[in-house]
């Protein structure tokens, strides 16, 4: 690594490091470079290509840890709760939900927006951070992309069921039919179908394409026949040819460039579902950026929630270092600040508009019957992330974990506040109502976590959890220019001229 | 390397090239340059991660992949715009939220999404296609050492199809690049035919998967008398009651519920409040109202036809027997009188005359023309009208009477009541007795005025 370090000024970290040397080996926090001129190592410890491959491939190919079975049985039982509640819903009808005429959106839409929002971190890490040349993304992108896809799976369930007659959900798609009807392209609900559909597809493609070289690694290291077959088919015959790599990298760059505006568009479109209505509390121009920031905020909280225990349990601390965690926490803090700002702008606009309905909604939020939800949201989303400012918190990954948990809760409540408090008291007081979830609502919400964690555990167990090939590119060993010995070859003077070839030929 | 297929598997597998293994990407880059400068073109390098600079070192052309993405993206844009225009402006146009049929701004989100979708799909599949993937068999995979190409080793391969290929020379060249090992790549001699069993299984699978489609096609092209198969009931059967049905749930066994007493349903005020009707509907027998309805219809039928005897209309409509209001509702004051006078002069005086004696200007002219169909407006001061309750007069103004049209469209209920008050005042003035003159006013003083 190119590190220009002036020996004269020692940072406090370096001092503490030399002090610590006598007793414990230095923690990752202490190993981090705190001089901005110094670049933090992305893979910690004595590692080369072989050990990096080993540490990831062994998780997928080795023996299943007992804890995995425990975790899997918990998530499978939650998943069965989802299956049961959906079955009950289909047999009985959507009346089993707590939704009523006034609060017609209720839990299904809250959960939809919650899960779709979580899905945003994955693509953000894999696409936007890629374009911004944030190399630290390599440790966590696979992980976050997987999380994205599973979160979008969970998200898709809810609006699908909320349409009421699920078996007619295909009516959402534009296809020539015997009803001689077409979907309504001037409605944000149709935009939503396309936005979420495209997002799910592109994320899946991005994820799978990025995984092909790593699947080839697993194929080549697999010893059991079924593993060789499975990974062999999935790896599509990848062999690491430099021509393949060149096209692969180009495709990756193109996908990143395509996914970047896509990730910003998806939650914008989701917010249009609200913003294009005329309901006070929804009819707001700030919604698209506010939703996108909130999605990234919630998404990073979820990545932290997953990666902190995983790096511990699967022994990936050298690849997902403290620095990775800290960087994510900082992104979470930054987006959290944007979200807090958006909250305050909403209140300002209500006051400034002098619009009685708008003002009523924004008084009803903090002081109305759902004040508890509003204040939970504020505590979790505005106050809790401020802890990240403190070094003491960032120094301890588990403290960051706790903050992330707060944010997870807070982001769910944000959607609750937006959906329920705006709907439950609209223009006509005679139609005011309260919303309370039924056991089916709660069961489906919990069950969606079951689905999420089941998929995630399967991913952790059987697929390469970290982008092996990508991590290798950011290791110092992969940087030829850092090793002055090489590139000394010159064509000998007696090489015939037609054989001294330029670049652009095959 | 399918072009030199051996006739049968009698010969040992042929060599398809030489492969050198390196531990380090820099050695690989070095070797690539040497091989390139020795003139070999059918070469390739294999690495566990993209090695930067290898394109130059090996002389690889840049890829045309971005053009695929661009074209696909443009296609996506066009498809999306055309699709939405077709859906909402051509094939199924309807107005919603005041937007034009082809509202291009509202079409943007879907257009954007489809652009990205098409471009992303094409990028991935074009990448795989250009790479010749999926390709599950590769002669390189015969060498178990090659497994490390996806782990920690780097390989350089020279194809035996190369123009300058000479087995000994290539081997020598590769050996001079300080590799870990140089090995000959043998062609893949594993059987290429797909096992019979798998082929049969695939055929069987295709057949079985066609069965549902065949059933559906058959059903679409045949008629059946049976009821449709209902997987989901789609609200066809519901546990609710039919409108006129009975139930044991309520004491009166009626499914339809009467309104809660003392409440007025929205929109029913005008049909139940005497103020708006001129009579008390509760105290009026319902058969009375129905009979009137019938007579009104008879009336309409008359007026729609030929002009007949002017007096017949009056004869056709029997006098109503409603529970008329006998007092003007609300406070009666000078303001109301003024309003009534104003409205009477505007609306009624042309026929009934300013004093209500039936000698209005229109009437006078019509009488002069001596047209047979003109019916002289009623003298409002005649005793029949004087004796009518106020509610009756209100009703006349609202609905009209015989030859006279109703004034509900031009007078609000409040104005109608004001006119009633003024009519009463006129009646009083027309039938004035000397006792009506206040004590302090003498006839001479009024005459003087």
């Amino acid at each position: 690594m190119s590190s220009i370090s002036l020996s004269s000024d020692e940072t406090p970290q370096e001092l503490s490091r030399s002090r610590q040397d006598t007793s414990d080996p230095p923690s990752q926090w202490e190993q981090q470079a705190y001089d901005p001129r110094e670049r933090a190592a992305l893979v910690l410890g004595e590692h080369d290509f072989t050990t990096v491959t080993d540490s990831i491939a062994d998780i997928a190919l080795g023996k299943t840890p007992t804890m995995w079975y425990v975790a899997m049985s918990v998530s499978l039982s939650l998943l069965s709760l989802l299956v049961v509640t959906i079955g009950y819903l289909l047999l009985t009808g959507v009346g089993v939900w707590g939704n009523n005429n006034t609060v017609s959106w209720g839990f299904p839409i809250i959960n939809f927006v919650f899960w779709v929002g979580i899905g945003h971190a994955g693509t953000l890490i894999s696409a936007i951070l890629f374009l911004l040349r944030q190399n630290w993304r390599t440790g966590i992108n696979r992980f976050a992309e997987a999380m994205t896809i599973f979160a979008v799976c969970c998200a898709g369930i809810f609006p699908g069921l909320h349409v009421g007659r699920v078996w007619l959900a295909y009516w959402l798609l534009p296809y020539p039919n015997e009803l001689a009807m077409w979907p309504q392209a001037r409605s944000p609900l149709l935009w939503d179908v396309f936005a979420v559909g495209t997002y799910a597809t592109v994320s899946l493609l991005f994820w799978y394409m990025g995984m092909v070289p790593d699947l080839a690694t697993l194929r080549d290291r697999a010893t059991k026949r079924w593993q060789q077959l499975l990974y062999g088919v999935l790896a599509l015959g990848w062999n690491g040819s430099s021509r393949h790599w060149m096209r692969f990298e180009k495709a990756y760059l193109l996908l990143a460039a395509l996914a970047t505006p896509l990730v910003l568009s998806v939650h914008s479109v989701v917010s249009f579902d609200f913003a294009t209505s005329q309901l006070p509390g929804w009819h707001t121009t700030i919604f698209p950026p506010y939703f996108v920031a909130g999605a990234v905020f919630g998404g990073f909280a979820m990545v932290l929630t997953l990666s902190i225990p995983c790096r511990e349990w699967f022994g990936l601390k050298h690849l997902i270092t403290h620095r990775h965690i800290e960087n994510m926490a900082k992104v979470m803090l930054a987006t959290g600040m944007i979200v807090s700002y958006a909250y305050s702008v909403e209140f300002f606009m209500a006051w400034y508009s002098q619009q009685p309905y708008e003002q009523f909604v924004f008084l009803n939020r903090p002081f109305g019957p759902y004040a508890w939800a509003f204040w939970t949201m504020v505590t979790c989303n505005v106050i809790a992330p401020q802890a990240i400012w403190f070094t003491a918190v960032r120094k301890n990954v588990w403290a960051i974990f706790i903050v992330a948990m707060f944010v997870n809760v807070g982001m769910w409540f944000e959607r609750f506040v937006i959906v329920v408090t705006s709907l439950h008291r609209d223009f006509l007081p005679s139609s005011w109502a309260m919303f309370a979830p039924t056991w089916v609502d709660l069961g489906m919400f919990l069950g969606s976590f079951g689905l999420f964690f089941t998929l995630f555990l399967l991913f952790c167990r059987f697929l390469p959890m970290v982008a092996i090939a990508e991590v290798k590119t950011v290791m110092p060993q992969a940087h030829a220019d850092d090793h002055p010995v090489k590139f000394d070859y010159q064509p000998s003077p007696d090489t015939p001229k037609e054989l001294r070839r330029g670049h652009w030929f095959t | 390397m399918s072009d030199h297929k051996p006739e049968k598997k009698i010969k040992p597998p042929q060599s398809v090239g030489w492969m050198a293994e390196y531990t380090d990407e820099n050695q690989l880059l070095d070797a690539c340059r040497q091989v390139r400068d020795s003139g070999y073109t059918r070469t390739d390098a294999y690495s566990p991660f993209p090695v930067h600079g290898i394109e130059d070192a090996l002389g690889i052309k840049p890829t045309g992949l971005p053009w695929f993405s661009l074209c696909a993206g443009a296609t996506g844009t066009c498809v999306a715009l055309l699709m939405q225009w077709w859906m909402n402006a051509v094939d199924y146009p309807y107005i919603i939220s005041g937007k034009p049929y082809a509202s291009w701004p509202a079409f943007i989100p879907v257009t954007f999404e489809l652009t990205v979708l098409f471009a992303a799909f094409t990028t991935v599949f074009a990448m795989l296609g250009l790479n010749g993937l999926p390709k599950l068999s590769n002669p390189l995979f015969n060498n178990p050492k090659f497994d490390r190409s996806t782990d920690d080793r780097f390989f350089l391969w020279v194809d035996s199809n190369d123009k300058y290929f000479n087995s000994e020379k290539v081997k020598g060249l590769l050996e001079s690049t300080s590799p870990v090992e140089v090995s000959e790549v043998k062609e893949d001699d594993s059987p290429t035919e797909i096992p019979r069993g798998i082929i049969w299984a695939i055929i069987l699978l295709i057949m079985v998967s066609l069965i549902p489609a065949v059933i559906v096609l058959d059903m679409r092209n045949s008629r059946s008398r049976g009821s449709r198969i209902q997987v989901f009931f789609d609200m066809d059967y519901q546990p609710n009651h039919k409108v006129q049905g009975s139930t044991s749930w309520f004491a009166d066994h009626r499914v339809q519920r009467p309104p809660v007493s003392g409440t007025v349903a929205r929109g029913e005020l005008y049909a139940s409040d005497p103020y708006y009707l001129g009579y008390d509907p509760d105290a009026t027998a319902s058969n009375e109202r129905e009979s009137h309805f019938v007579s009104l219809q008879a009336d309409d039928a008359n007026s729609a036809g030929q002009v007949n005897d002017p007096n017949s209309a009056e004869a056709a409509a029997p006098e109503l027997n409603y529970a008329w209001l006998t007092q003007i509702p609300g406070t009666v004051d000078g303001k109301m009188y003024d309003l009534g006078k104003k409205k009477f002069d505007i609306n009624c005086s042309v026929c009934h005359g300013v004093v209500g004696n039936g000698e209005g200007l229109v009437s006078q002219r019509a009488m002069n023309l001596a047209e047979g169909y003109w019916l002289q407006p009623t003298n409002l001061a005649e005793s029949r009208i004087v004796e009518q309750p106020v509610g009756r007069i209100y009703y006349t103004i609202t609905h009209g009477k015989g030859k006279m049209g109703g004034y509900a469209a031009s007078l609000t209920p409040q104005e109608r009541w004001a006119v009633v008050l003024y009519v009463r005042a006129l009646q009083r003035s027309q039938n004035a007795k000397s006792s009506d003159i206040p004590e302090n006013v003498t006839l001479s003083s009024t005459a003087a005025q």
Side-chain angles (χ1 to χ4, degrees):
Chain A
M1 296 259 92
S2 51
S3 58
I4 326 139
S5 174
L6 303 181
S7 53
S8 56
D9 46 16
E10 274 198 332
T11 59
Q13 279 75 25
E14 281 167 334
L15 286 173
S16 70
R17 197 183 307 169
S18 46
R19 231 186 295 123
Q20 290 260 322
D21 272 347
T22 45
S23 50
D24 289 328
S27 73
Q28 287 195 347
W29 175 265
E30 286 148 351
Q31 287 173 31
Q32 286 181 22
Y34 268 85
D35 191 333
R37 290 164 302 183
E38 224 176 297
R39 204 179 268 181
L42 294 173
V43 178
L44 291 180
E46 294 296 310
H47 280 286
D48 57 14
F49 299 146
T50 325
T51 56
V52 165
T53 315
D54 285 347
S55 56
I56 301 159
D58 286 353
I59 301 171
L61 300 172
K63 254 191 68 170
T64 317
T66 329
M67 268 313 287
W68 187 85
Y69 286 111
V70 176
M72 195 64 178
S73 57
V74 172
S75 29
L76 274 180
S77 48
L78 283 179
L79 176 62
S80 61
L81 188 61
L82 181 72
V83 174
V84 168
T85 45
I86 289 181
Y88 179 63
L89 178 102
L90 289 185
L91 292 176
T92 323
V94 288
V96 298
W97 278 333
N99 303 15
N100 50 42
N101 275 345
T102 308
V103 187
S104 50
W105 272 13
F107 259 43
I109 302 299
I110 299 171
N111 295 341
F112 162 66
V113 182
F114 173 72
W115 279 117
V116 163
I118 285 182
H120 278 60
T123 317
L124 185 102
I125 291 172
S126 50
I128 299 184
L129 295 189
F130 178 77
L131 292 183
L132 297 177
R133 297 265 177 268
Q134 294 296 305
N135 282 340
W136 58 275
R137 65 180 269 292
T138 53
I140 49 170
N141 71 337
R142 172 68 42 73
F143 206 80
E145 283 168 36
M147 182 204 77
T148 290
I149 288 158
F150 306 147
V152 174
C153 287
C154 295
I157 293 176
F158 289 100
L161 293 173
H162 192 251
V163 298
R165 289 192 259 165
V166 189
W167 47 97
L168 297 180
Y170 61 89
W171 281 4
L172 291 167
L173 302 174
Y175 71 104
N177 55 35
E178 74 279 12
L179 303 170
M181 291 202 293
W182 289 99
Q184 215 274 88
R186 288 159 287 180
S187 153
L189 298 180
L190 185 83
W191 307 346
D192 224 13
V193 174
F194 278 86
V196 176
T198 303
Y199 188 54
T201 319
V202 173
S203 305
L204 192 67
L205 281 176
F206 205 3
W207 182 59
Y208 177 63
M209 193 195 89
M211 207 154 55
V212 165
D214 294 348
L215 288 169
T217 306
L218 294 187
R219 170 200 66 199
D220 291 342
R221 295 176 58 93
T223 45
K224 298 192 191 90
R225 187 73 190 135
W226 69 267
Q227 287 178 336
Q228 285 170 340
L229 268 176
L230 176 73
Y231 295 119
V233 169
L234 288 177
L236 305 174
W238 182 266
N239 55 25
S241 152
S242 49
R243 286 184 178 76
H244 293 187
W245 273 122
M246 177 190 63
R247 298 199 188 96
F248 176 91
E249 284 203 292
K250 188 61 96 190
Y252 202 93
L253 178 69
L254 286 169
L255 277 191
L258 288 168
T260 298
L262 179 67
V263 66
L264 299 181
S265 85
V266 176
H267 228 50
S268 298
V269 169
V270 171
S271 80
F272 290 158
D273 292 346
F274 297 88
T276 59
S277 77
Q278 311 226 314
L279 196 71
W282 286 3
H283 188 66
T284 323
T285 47
I286 200 182
F287 258 28
Y290 158 31
F291 266 50
V292 172
V296 175
F297 181 48
F300 267 87
M302 189 53 100
V303 181
L304 282 170
T305 314
L306 295 175
S307 58
I308 290 175
C310 276
R311 73 195 271 274
E312 207 86 28
W313 294 334
F314 291 105
L316 294 173
K317 275 182 163 176
H318 56 291
L319 295 173
I320 304 173
T321 66
H322 197 145
R323 192 51 173 271
H324 286 94
I325 303 291
E326 201 195 343
N327 280 351
M328 287 193 275
K330 283 176 181 168
V331 175
M332 193 172 78
L333 173 63
T335 46
M337 298 296 285
I338 301 176
V339 168
S340 315
Y341 173 70
Y343 293 162
S344 52
V345 167
E346 276 194 313
F347 279 91
F348 171 79
M349 291 311 287
W351 166 74
Y352 192 67
S353 69
Q354 288 298 313
Q355 219 261 0
Y357 296 107
E358 190 82 14
Q359 291 183 333
F360 171 78
V361 165
F362 283 93
L363 281 180
N364 185 42
R365 271 186 194 174
F367 305 117
Y370 287 110
W372 56 273
F374 176 83
W375 292 110
T376 312
M377 172 188 96
V378 169
T379 317
C380 295
N381 286 354
V382 180
I383 299 169
Q386 305 308 323
I388 306 287
W389 289 109
F390 299 99
T391 318
V393 174
R394 271 175 296 135
K395 211 168 171 172
N396 184 347
V397 283
W398 290 102
I400 296 178
F401 181 81
I402 291 169
V403 174
M405 285 313 281
F406 267 104
V407 175
N408 286 330
V409 174
M411 284 312 289
W412 189 85
F413 271 99
E414 181 194 297
R415 279 60 178 253
F416 182 89
V417 167
I418 292 174
V419 170
V420 175
T421 62
S422 305
L423 276 176
H424 89 122
R425 288 186 171 178
D426 59 3
F427 301 99
L428 198 61
S430 64
S431 62
W432 286 3
M434 293 296 284
F435 169 82
T438 60
W439 67 270
V440 182
D441 279 313
L442 296 169
M444 284 176 75
F445 179 50
L446 276 180
S448 66
F449 277 96
L451 176 63
F452 181 75
F453 282 112
T454 306
L455 291 170
F456 196 79
L457 283 167
L458 285 174
F459 160 75
C460 288
R461 174 68 189 86
F462 296 109
L463 291 175
M465 240 204 294
V466 176
I468 309 175
E470 277 189 52
V471 166
K472 287 175 189 163
T473 61
V474 300
M475 290 171 70
Q477 290 91 322
H479 290 279
D481 37 318
D482 289 348
H483 300 262
V485 217
K486 305 300 172 182
F487 284 115
D488 51 357
Y489 170 76
Q490 290 295 320
S492 72
D494 35 85
T495 313
K497 190 133 191 227
E498 72 270 19
L499 294 183
R500 301 185 182 196
R501 302 176 322 184
H503 294 167
W504 310 128
F505 60 87
T506 305
Chain B
M1 301 307 100
S2 50
D3 31 340
H4 44 122
K5 244 185 207 150
E7 306 80 70
K8 281 275 158 274
K9 294 274 160 334
I10 316 147
K11 285 197 260 179
Q14 291 192 350
S15 158
V16 291
W18 281 92
M19 185 168 73
E21 180 182 346
Y22 306 91
T23 52
D24 187 316
E25 64 168 294
N26 300 305
Q27 291 171 340
L28 174 73
L29 283 167
D30 261 356
C32 286
R33 278 153 194 264
Q34 294 197 37
V35 166
R36 183 190 82 188
D37 288 336
S38 313
Y40 297 104
T41 49
R42 308 211 57 161
T43 55
D44 207 348
Y46 300 88
S47 52
F49 57 86
V51 175
H52 291 164
I54 194 109
E55 295 92 341
D56 289 359
L58 215 52
I60 300 174
K61 260 199 307 201
T63 167
L65 185 66
W67 293 106
F68 284 85
S69 313
L70 181 69
C71 293
T75 313
T77 312
C78 298
V79 166
L81 285 174
L82 270 175
M83 176 188 83
Q84 294 176 85
W85 169 76
W86 169 259
M87 291 192 318
N88 288 165
V90 180
D91 202 35
Y92 186 44
Y94 63 101
I95 294 179
I96 191 148
S97 61
K99 294 192 186 98
Y101 293 135
S103 356
W104 301 106
F107 292 170
I108 293 301
V110 172
T111 308
F112 170 78
E113 303 298 339
L114 282 192
T115 306
V116 169
L117 185 68
F118 276 49
F121 246 100
T122 310
T123 306
V124 173
F125 288 102
M127 184 274 283
L128 292 178
L130 290 173
N131 283 351
L133 300 176
K135 182 180 178 197
L136 299 181
S137 158
N138 192 328
L140 297 168
F141 291 162
N142 281 348
N143 184 350
K145 295 233 170 87
F146 189 70
D147 281 356
R148 290 185 77 172
S149 73
T150 55
D151 179 2
D152 54 356
R153 288 296 159 90
F154 303 82
F155 292 84
L156 179 58
W157 180 57
V158 181
D159 194 319
S160 63
N161 280 341
D162 197 280
K163 210 161 70 182
Y164 301 98
F165 188 82
N166 172 313
S167 204
E168 285 313 305
K169 259 197 179 161
V170 170
K171 189 178 178 215
L173 175 67
L174 288 179
E175 266 164 359
S176 72
T177 57
S178 61
V180 184
E181 192 187 331
V182 174
S183 50
E184 195 169 20
V185 182
K186 292 279 165 56
E187 97 193 300
D188 195 347
D189 61 345
S190 54
T192 49
E193 303 97 56
I194 306 168
R196 271 286 161 84
I198 292 186
I199 292 182
W200 281 114
I202 290 173
I203 291 176
L204 201 73
L205 208 74
I206 293 173
M207 306 271 269
V208 169
S209 65
L210 281 178
I211 291 177
V214 169
I215 293 176
V216 168
L217 275 178
D218 175 57
M219 283 179 158
R220 282 198 78 101
N221 289 308
S222 58
R223 282 162 194 280
S224 146
R225 293 193 163 273
S227 60
R228 67 184 257 240
I229 302 166
Q230 270 182 316
V231 184
F232 294 101
F233 293 115
D234 282 346
M235 298 190 212
D236 286 354
Y237 305 104
Q238 297 176 28
N240 56 5
H241 286 279
K242 293 279 176 283
V243 181
Q244 302 284 340
S246 66
T247 173
S248 57
W249 185 264
F250 297 109
D252 61 359
H253 298 291
R254 291 204 292 187
V255 166
Q256 272 170 307
R257 304 310 305 154
V260 179
S261 64
T263 59
V264 178
R266 218 188 275 176
E268 273 189 5
L269 183 64
Y270 297 106
S272 61
D273 190 336
Y275 181 81
Y276 298 100
L277 296 171
Y279 61 90
D280 184 356
D282 296 336
T284 306
S286 59
N287 58 345
E288 183 67 33
R289 275 189 278 166
E290 278 156 25
S291 72
H292 176 56
F293 180 64
V294 174
S295 75
L296 276 181
Q297 281 187 323
D299 214 28
D300 285 350
N302 275 347
S303 54
Q306 268 283 313
V307 181
N308 33 20
D309 181 14
N311 298 320
S312 71
E314 205 169 342
E319 195 42 54
L320 298 169
N321 187 17
Y322 286 7
W324 302 113
L325 293 196
T326 49
Q327 279 209 324
I328 296 174
T331 43
V332 173
D333 54 10
K335 252 169 125 184
M336 189 173 179
Y337 171 85
D338 291 342
L339 179 67
K341 177 175 163 48
K342 192 172 144 199
K343 293 293 165 186
F344 184 90
D345 288 349
I346 293 171
N347 291 285
C348 323
S349 63
V350 283
C351 290
H352 288 283
V354 277
V355 291
N357 56 4
E359 301 280 338
L361 281 174
V362 170
S363 181
Q364 280 177 29
R365 173 150 169 79
M367 297 308 275
N368 287 345
L369 290 174
E371 296 283 8
Y373 53 77
W374 180 256
L375 174 70
Q376 167 124 34
T378 314
N379 178 2
L380 299 178
E382 76 183 35
S383 62
R384 187 172 61 85
I385 309 298
V386 173
E387 280 157 19
Q388 277 180 350
V390 284
R392 181 69 187 84
I393 299 177
Y394 176 89
Y395 190 86
T396 304
I397 301 173
T398 309
H399 298 286
K401 175 82 198 291
K403 281 285 175 183
M404 178 187 138
Y407 281 79
S410 30
L411 298 173
T412 65
Q414 189 207 358
E415 288 164 352
R416 274 176 250 159
W417 282 117
V419 170
V420 172
L421 174 67
Y422 187 67
V423 169
R424 276 280 184 261
L426 287 177
Q427 288 170 344
R428 185 94 184 267
S429 75
Q430 293 302 299
N431 299 325
K433 297 183 275 291
S434 57
S435 61
D436 288 334
I437 302 167
E439 295 283 290
N440 53 353
V441 180
T442 59
L443 277 173
S444 57
S445 70
T446 32
Q449 279 175 11

